[in-house]
Amino acid sequence: MSCGDHHDTDCGEVLDRVYSYLDGELDDSRRAEIRQHLDECGPCLEEYGLENVVKQLVAKHCGCDPVPGDLRDKVLARIAQVRSELAD
């Protein structure tokens, strides 16, 4: 998966790791790689349907567990925060 532009870190790899990035679960080196890619290629998140990926991730890892009522709002707020940080 790629947006067509050259990046040190492939778009698909970034999207595979974006949730770990958002959760602060990556080491400093990997976090810097993801951040650099997002700084260079913010459109990747929209181009590859971040909302759909979030839904798939939640479905895959939550299965039949009840979902907290405020989860969607928290996820959307965090996405908005990251997009704001990327715009700066």
Side-chain angles (χ1 to χ4, degrees):
M1 186 180 302
S2 177
C3 67
D5 294 331
H6 171 74
H7 301 284
D8 291 338
T9 307
D10 181 71
C11 299
E13 182 180 344
V14 168
L15 292 177
D16 288 344
R17 300 184 189 282
V18 75
Y19 303 105
S20 297
Y21 171 81
L22 293 174
D23 290 338
E25 296 174 348
L26 300 176
D27 62 39
D28 291 341
S29 174
R30 179 60 80 188
R31 187 171 53 248
E33 290 175 6
I34 301 297
R35 177 63 187 215
Q36 179 180 352
H37 182 96
L38 292 174
D39 286 346
E40 295 172 353
C41 192
C44 280
L45 297 178
E46 290 181 28
E47 184 172 339
Y48 293 110
L50 181 59
E51 185 175 347
N52 289 334
V53 176
V54 169
K55 288 178 183 177
Q56 291 170 359
L57 181 71
V58 170
K60 177 180 176 182
H61 291 286
C62 293
C64 296
D65 296 341
V67 178
D70 62 344
L71 177 63
R72 184 175 193 280
D73 291 335
K74 287 180 180 179
V75 170
L76 291 175
R78 182 65 176 136
I79 291 170
Q81 179 183 1
V82 169
R83 283 185 175 163
S84 175
E85 290 171 3
L86 291 174
D88 291 340

